[in-house]
Amino acid sequence: MEKTPVLILAPLPDFLMQPLLAAHVCHDYFHAADKAALLGKVGAEIRGIVMAGGSVSPVPLLEQLPKLEIISVFGVGYDGVPVDWCKAHGIRVTNTPDVLTEDVADTASALVLMTSRKLIAANRFLHAGAWTKGAFPLAHALHGKLAGIVGLGRIGKAIAHRLEAHGMRIAYHGRTKQDVSWEYVDSLVALAQKVDFLIVACPGGAATKHLINAEVLTALGTKGTLINIARGSVVDEAALITALQNGTIRGAGLDVFENEPHVPEALMQCENAVLLPHLGSGTHETRAEMARLVVENLAAHFSGTALLTPVC
Ligand code: 8YV
């Protein structure tokens, strides 16, 4: 079968690039020094795009790809894809849901543990040889505390189950009340007021941009810790830095940031923040499954069979 030309919009791991190269002619837009020249040369031929969860495929770029048929996202979040535009232009979009749910939920519960029990600071304390000079300060318990999940999708539910295993109570906020036993709170500010941990697990994109703003952080207050494993765009990072600096909230555990991989120096200086380099789905097992879905969705599309995980 003839190899189909595809455009690569993100840095991709070798275990994904190898099968892509076997089936497609891959044009590396992400690393191209002269992106306009690359588009001028191959844009008219491109039939597929491969991108990552945190990357973007803006309309002005897509408009230069008249033969584009499919965008395959190496990630569950497709907030970087103009889905309505794709629908209107008959371009299919796929992502990699489900296979990463458990890892991302593990990361969220790890952030809850790391922030409440101050495990990162404790590790630094021991490595610095401080234990022989005195005990590490006491931290806060999880059991009996209330966690508020913002966005009770597949990942939000998996987080809730893990936190219940730690003896925590669960409440949630989202667009709709769901058929679950956990308490639904229809106002985000009201949820923030109640909870000890506010855990962001909703999709990114325009609809949720800066959902967690200064008002929500003030409502969360000194008893509260913000956890974000979703998208940096959901949190007003400047407001969060101010809240951490002023002690308006107790702390934060973040796996995602507004302008990755750049994290503001002021945030890095916050001792009450645990910061991870967007590793929620970053295990060998899960990334291999994600890569398989990317490759198989493209193969399904170009062979005329049903997509495994269609967005549209
Ligand atoms: C990945 C993600 O880090 O699934 C997502 O939406 O953001 C992450 O799982 C990313 O897509 C891989 O680069």
Side-chain angles (χ1 to χ4, degrees):
M1 213 167 75
E2 206 185 318
K3 289 187 176 186
T4 40
V6 301
L7 204 60
I8 309 294
L9 296 194
L12 299 177
D14 207 44
F15 55 82
L16 173 52
M17 277 314 297
Q18 289 312 321
L20 286 177
L21 284 164
H24 308 281
V25 180
C26 296
H27 297 285
D28 188 349
Y29 182 79
F30 180 82
H31 289 109
D34 190 341
K35 295 188 191 320
L38 177 66
L39 283 186
K41 205 165 129 210
V42 303
E45 304 305 321
I46 295 296
R47 295 175 61 196
I49 278 181
V50 181
M51 56 188 276
S55 58
V56 290
S57 51
V59 169
L61 168 63
L62 302 186
E63 280 173 339
Q64 296 175 66
L65 312 174
K67 288 193 184 157
L68 183 65
E69 297 167 35
I70 182 165
I71 300 178
S72 189
V73 181
F74 179 56
V76 66
Y78 49 86
D79 45 301
V81 181
V83 174
D84 289 340
W85 191 91
C86 289
K87 278 185 192 156
H89 290 79
I91 294 162
R92 304 172 93 181
V93 179
T94 72
N95 66 340
T96 65
D98 299 322
V99 295
L100 46 62
T101 299
E102 308 301 329
D103 277 355
V104 177
D106 283 347
T107 303
S109 69
L111 282 168
V112 170
L113 273 164
M114 288 190 283
T115 49
S116 59
R117 299 299 302 270
K118 300 191 186 305
L119 298 178
I120 302 294
N123 179 254
R124 276 201 218 107
F125 172 89
L126 192 146
H127 277 279
W131 195 11
T132 52
K133 299 179 195 86
F136 185 71
L138 299 181
H140 289 280
L142 286 186
H143 59 90
K145 299 285 164 59
L146 182 60
I149 315 274
V150 181
L152 197 70
R154 286 169 283 213
I155 293 173
K157 286 188 179 114
I159 295 169
H161 288 302
R162 278 161 175 73
L163 298 185
E164 278 191 320
H166 288 291
M168 297 181 76
R169 295 170 296 119
I170 308 295
Y172 69 99
H173 169 77
R175 274 170 307 183
T176 49
K177 185 173 178 336
Q178 300 191 37
D179 187 17
V180 292
S181 59
W182 302 311
E183 182 193 356
Y184 177 65
V185 182
D186 66 0
S187 142
L188 178 55
V189 170
L191 181 73
Q193 263 160 358
K194 289 165 85 86
V195 300
D196 302 291
F197 288 86
L198 190 65
I199 302 173
V200 183
C202 61
T208 58
K209 189 169 163 63
H210 290 187
L211 196 64
I212 308 296
N213 55 21
E215 187 193 4
V216 174
L217 294 168
T218 302
L220 183 58
T222 53
K223 57 150 179 50
T225 300
L226 180 76
I227 305 290
N228 188 6
I229 50 76
R231 281 286 180 269
S233 60
V234 183
V235 175
D236 179 342
E237 207 161 81
L240 174 62
I241 292 169
T242 305
L244 287 167
Q245 286 172 336
N246 296 346
T248 308
I249 62 171
R250 177 178 287 165
L254 310 172
D255 186 43
V256 288
F257 303 88
E258 280 203 86
N259 182 27
E260 297 174 6
H262 306 287
V263 176
E265 184 59 32
L267 187 51
M268 292 205 258
Q269 295 301 325
C270 291
E271 285 290 326
N272 47 357
V274 172
L275 310 175
L276 302 178
H278 198 153
L279 51 65
S281 67
T283 66
H284 292 292
E285 297 83 352
T286 291
R287 289 282 167 87
E289 281 298 287
M290 292 164 64
R292 179 185 61 76
L293 281 176
V294 168
V295 171
E296 290 185 6
N297 273 314
L298 287 172
H301 171 76
F302 288 120
S303 66
T305 54
L307 297 176
L308 284 83
T309 50
V311 171
C312 68

